Amino acid sequence: MRRQNFEELGEADRLLIETARRSSVNAYAPYSGFAVGSAVRTRSKRLYHGANLENAAYGLGMCAEVAAITAANSAGDYDIEAIAVVGFRFSTPPDVTQVVTPCGRCRQLIFEAGQIARTDPVVFSCSGDLEHIEEARISEMLPGAFGPDNLGLSQSWPQLRGQLVETVRRIEAAGAPSAGRAVKR
Ligand SMILES: [Zn+2]
């Protein structure tokens, strides 16, 4: 884990972190009063972002990192090389000075994405004011992790994914059911 100064980071990393912080404004966090924004950068250099999403059934809450990683995967762009997390308390008393790191579940999700993509994603954990930034590789943050390699998926997923794409292609080629068939009485 290395302490970083925002101004001394490269342009791509500053943009990633700024995107994460900007995304935090969309947090739905009425229960914790704690907003988190996250952004991922993929091998294609595109950025995807997300914010935390809480729920009256507390255990259903979703982390910002999950939203960002899901956004990348939903765009068919799952080769994640870096992720930024920016969090702060906005309820009284506000606190924008503590470094926010990914929770254990999110570390596992980042690790999985990295192993499938053959990257070791860089993780920027940041305070809301960006005065405190810690940089680490996911392999440092989750040592000895169990991942897709343990199940042989890194080899088999590309082929299985090909089958998925082919199945969808065949479904689409078969055409949509007619309105008459869709509305059965
Ligand atoms: Zn999390």
Side-chain angles (χ1 to χ4, degrees):
M1 193 102 42
R2 292 159 294 287
R3 293 228 171 111
Q4 290 287 13
N5 187 316
F6 182 77
E7 277 74 32
E8 288 166 12
L9 287 169
E11 194 183 342
D13 292 337
R14 287 196 314 251
L15 182 63
L16 180 76
I17 291 167
E18 280 176 341
T19 302
R21 183 163 72 172
R22 200 173 314 122
S23 191
S24 68
V25 77
N26 294 322
Y28 174 65
Y31 302 101
S32 68
F34 203 97
V36 185
S38 178
V40 301
R41 185 176 66 234
T42 60
R43 197 176 265 141
S44 68
K45 307 304 173 197
R46 288 192 186 88
L47 300 183
Y48 303 89
H49 58 91
N52 56 329
L53 180 85
E54 297 180 349
N55 194 279
Y58 282 19
L60 297 184
M62 210 72 80
C63 294
E65 299 93 310
V66 178
I69 292 168
T70 302
N73 180 58
S74 297
D77 195 8
Y78 191 44
D79 290 351
I80 290 162
E81 62 172 33
I83 181 165
V85 187
V86 181
F88 52 90
R89 177 176 299 285
F90 60 90
S91 59
T92 314
D95 178 10
V96 298
T97 62
Q98 62 169 300
V99 170
V100 173
T101 55
C103 76
R105 180 173 186 264
C106 287
R107 292 179 195 206
Q108 181 72 30
L109 287 170
I110 297 164
F111 180 81
E112 172 105 8
Q115 204 164 66
I116 288 290
R118 291 275 163 252
T119 59
D120 187 4
V122 177
V123 181
F124 293 100
S125 303
C126 314
S127 60
D129 58 8
L130 305 187
E131 290 292 324
H132 308 279
I133 297 175
E134 291 177 359
E135 177 185 342
R137 294 275 175 182
I138 193 61
S139 58
E140 297 171 56
M141 300 183 85
L142 195 67
F146 183 88
D149 275 356
N150 295 95
L151 299 169
L153 288 186
S154 301
Q155 288 76 42
S156 63
W157 173 239
Q159 192 197 345
L160 193 55
R161 184 160 192 281
Q163 283 175 236
L164 165 64
V165 172
E166 177 59 21
T167 302
V168 172
R169 197 196 61 73
R170 264 193 256 118
I171 294 169
E172 287 177 347
S178 73
R181 274 165 61 205
V183 188
K184 268 190 187 152
R185 289 169 199 273

